[in-house]
Each structure stands twice: as structure tokens, then as C-alpha cells.
Amino acid sequence: MKLLSTLGWAPQVIVEVARVLMPEENIVFYGYVNEDERPRIENSLRKVREEVENLRVVKVDPMSFQDCIKKIQRFLDENCVVNITGGTKIMAFSLALQAAMVGIPIVYVVTTKDKMRIKTLPLLLSLKGKNFLREGSTAHRMLELLLTKYGGFAKLIDLKRDLGIKYSTLSDAKRKLMEANIIQERKEGKNKIIIANDIAYLFMEGEK
């Protein structure tokens, strides 16, 4: 079993979960918002290194949902438990969402009167319920093309050309993606520009 954790200022919440669960591998995601915060985070990381075995640390941009998603996806699989107690809300939210989509346990540490308790978060999501995003659907193909070929920013006319579909079909897929807040659209002169929101990367398993 692997334990994936987000690290903030309190190393003990990672050390405690690792001590109780005794995973074969510990993956810790860390990052600092600014240089003023850096010494405190690095001190926290040092304490984790001293206490936790089989450790791998991964630096992320703690304020970038997209960066957190991409880096977490490299390590997340069905053999994991995730600990979302530490780190920024964006780090913890990124880890929790991806774990919920895979259906793996999510834990966090509650401290009361200097006593730590490990709680399980009852959260489960399923992409299968979003039928418009099933693999091979127009919306799925459009989103995959937008992310993989165009880096999340493309002219609508280019997407239509690459997909080889009618505007009516493309517009329907675009509408569904926009309603789900997965993409947004804006105009630049005569061109309609499609932009992937950060959450779009959650729906593309191929981005792992």
C-alpha cells in the first residue's frame, strides 16, 4: 500500500498516519507559497524525513490546481490511501478529488486535547455518471484534443477541423463542457477561443 500525503506546517499529521498505516511507500507532496514560508515548510519536510521511512517527496506549486493534479496523478492508483490533512486547500482538494474519482480511501487527522485521531472522509465520485464524457464521445474527444494538442488553449475552428465534425455537433459538446465548468469560451477578434479550466485535467486519464 502507498500513502500519499500533502504537507504543510505540521509534519506530525503525516508522521502519525504513516506510523499507524505502515505503508510500503510514502509519497509526500509539498510546496511553499512564497519565500517567507519556505523555511517553515522545509523544516517540516526535514522532520518528516527523520521520522518516515520509504519516503519520496514531490514538489508542487501549492496554488496551482493544474500542477497539483498532474503531479499527483503520476503516483495515484488503486493501491493507495491518501492523507489530505496538510498543505494548502488547493493541494488537499486536488488529492481528495482524484482519490474520490478512483474510489480509494481518504483520511485526515483531527487533533483534540493534544490527541490525534485518524478519520475517514466518506467521499466518492464517479465519472461514469457523466455520460457525455465517456471515452469516444464528442465531448471527450474535444477535451482530449484541447489538452493534448493545444495545451488547453485553441481556436474553435481548429478543433472543428481536427475533429472533422459539424458545427452543430461540436457546439453541443462545447455547451455540455461549459455547463460542467470544464472549459470556457472567449472571443478574440473573429475567433472563438476555447480554454480548459484547471479541473479539465481531472477528466483526462491519459494525462497521468
Side-chain angles (χ1 to χ4, degrees):
M1 181 265 287
K2 289 189 299 185
L3 176 62
L4 277 59
S5 305
T6 47
L7 174 67
W9 292 349
Q12 61 269 27
V13 299
I14 289 180
V15 173
E16 176 65 12
V17 176
R19 182 189 67 80
V20 173
L21 298 185
M22 295 186 292
E24 296 173 355
E25 186 176 11
N26 284 279
I27 312 294
V28 172
F29 302 94
Y30 79 101
Y32 35 86
V33 176
N34 52 53
E35 286 300 311
D36 291 339
E37 191 182 51
R38 179 174 181 172
R40 191 168 183 178
I41 295 297
E42 289 186 343
N43 184 58
S44 182
L45 184 59
R46 178 182 58 78
K47 291 179 179 178
V48 170
R49 290 184 187 275
E50 292 173 353
E51 300 287 338
V52 175
E53 298 180 348
N54 304 317
L55 177 67
R56 174 183 284 187
V57 298
V58 179
K59 187 177 180 181
V60 301
D61 179 345
M63 302 305 292
S64 170
F65 191 45
Q66 180 176 327
D67 187 60
C68 290
I69 288 171
K70 284 188 172 183
K71 290 177 179 176
I72 288 169
Q73 282 181 339
R74 298 173 188 170
F75 302 95
L76 194 69
D77 58 43
E78 295 179 354
N79 191 40
C80 294
V81 173
V82 304
N83 172 14
I84 63 168
T85 313
T88 64
K89 290 181 174 65
I90 290 174
M91 292 167 66
F93 187 56
S94 300
L95 183 56
L97 272 179
Q98 292 180 88
M101 291 166 67
V102 177
I104 61 178
I106 304 169
V107 302
Y108 64 102
V109 177
V110 176
T111 303
T112 54
K113 295 181 179 180
D114 297 325
K115 186 174 182 180
M116 288 186 283
R117 290 186 175 86
I118 300 174
K119 301 287 187 178
T120 301
L121 187 66
L123 180 61
L124 179 66
L125 300 174
S126 175
L127 292 184
K128 294 180 181 179
K130 293 185 176 297
N131 292 328
F132 71 88
L133 267 178
R134 68 186 184 278
E135 188 171 359
S137 68
T138 302
H140 186 277
R141 290 170 55 212
M142 178 181 177
L143 185 59
E144 184 175 35
L145 182 65
L146 177 64
L147 296 180
T148 58
K149 181 174 181 179
Y150 293 100
F153 186 96
K155 295 178 182 178
L156 185 64
I157 192 170
D158 290 337
L159 294 173
K160 176 186 178 297
R161 180 197 64 232
D162 292 347
L163 291 169
I165 57 178
K166 297 178 180 179
Y167 263 121
S168 58
T169 305
L170 182 65
S171 294
D172 183 59
K174 180 190 71 173
R175 175 183 57 79
K176 291 174 180 177
L177 290 168
M178 290 179 67
E179 287 176 352
N181 201 33
I182 295 173
I183 64 170
Q184 57 183 292
E185 181 184 68
R186 76 181 187 210
K187 291 196 71 174
E188 288 189 358
K190 296 181 179 180
N191 293 312
K192 291 183 178 179
I193 307 298
I194 305 300
I195 305 165
N197 293 329
D198 285 344
I199 198 171
Y201 293 86
L202 279 172
F203 297 91
M204 285 291 108
E205 294 182 359
E207 288 293 302
K208 292 182 181 179

